[in-house]
Amino acid sequence: MDGAAPRLPGRADFRFFLAHRVRYVELDTQGIVFNAHYLTWYDEAVSDYIRAAGWDYQTEVKASGADFHVVRGLVEYKVAIGRAARLEIGARCTRIGRSSIAFQPAVFPAGGDTLLATGEIVWVLTDQASRRPVPIPDRLREVLATFEGRTFPAPG
């Protein structure tokens, strides 16, 4: 590692966005979004991202007996968000390992470029009977690579 801070994502880094309007129930006593709601937004954005990419999640789980588990959920707050804010939560795949997939979510004002929050969500694919990690299917790697317009080489 060279010690340089990782580059923060910009709006142009994302192909997928989920629209959201902040609801009153999502606010804390300070009148800003309570921290736990960011992970809910991230989860919803990643799930919709997978669907938009062309992966039929439920069908694949039933056919394979393998499902994903979240093993990391990180939120980095950049700008406080208040009531009725109109947002777009971007999601993208940043890495596919042997049995894990890393996603980067990012929150922007609707139509705007200011990064309000970002983070990371990491899923691990596990056999549901044994609860042990299993390899990411090549077909999922290809679906996400096509959607992102980049390659995700199989670990070797």
Side-chain angles (χ1 to χ4, degrees):
M1 196 155 219
D2 65 5
R7 184 182 72 80
L8 292 174
R11 185 179 190 84
D13 294 322
F14 297 87
R15 299 179 45 102
F16 175 84
F17 291 92
L18 174 69
H20 181 75
R21 183 174 178 174
V22 175
R23 302 168 302 150
Y24 174 78
V25 71
E26 294 174 314
L27 303 179
D28 63 16
T29 58
Q30 298 171 333
I32 59 174
V33 174
F34 180 67
N35 58 51
H37 293 291
Y38 287 81
L39 288 172
T40 299
W41 299 347
Y42 291 0
D43 188 56
E44 187 176 4
V46 167
S47 294
D48 284 4
Y49 164 90
I50 289 289
R51 187 177 306 111
W55 187 254
D56 187 343
Y57 190 99
Q58 294 302 322
T59 299
E60 295 294 338
V61 168
K62 288 177 186 173
S64 69
D67 200 353
F68 287 99
H69 295 271
V70 174
V71 297
R72 179 177 170 84
L74 172 70
V75 179
E76 291 185 34
Y77 309 96
K78 302 300 180 188
V79 178
I81 301 172
R83 183 172 185 206
R86 293 184 183 277
L87 307 172
E88 292 175 319
I89 299 112
R92 67 180 178 158
C93 180
T94 57
R95 181 185 53 78
I96 302 176
R98 188 190 81 73
S99 61
S100 66
I101 302 178
F103 301 96
Q104 182 175 45
V107 181
F108 298 93
D113 293 325
T114 302
L115 179 64
L116 304 176
T118 189
E120 184 179 48
I121 301 295
V122 178
W123 289 356
V124 171
L125 186 62
T126 62
D127 175 272
Q128 292 303 282
S130 69
R131 300 285 190 208
R132 301 296 307 155
V134 296
I136 300 294
D138 289 338
R139 201 164 66 70
L140 177 54
R141 190 180 305 277
E142 292 164 9
V143 163
L144 295 178
T146 298
F147 189 69
E148 287 291 341
R150 60 173 286 197
T151 60
F152 293 106

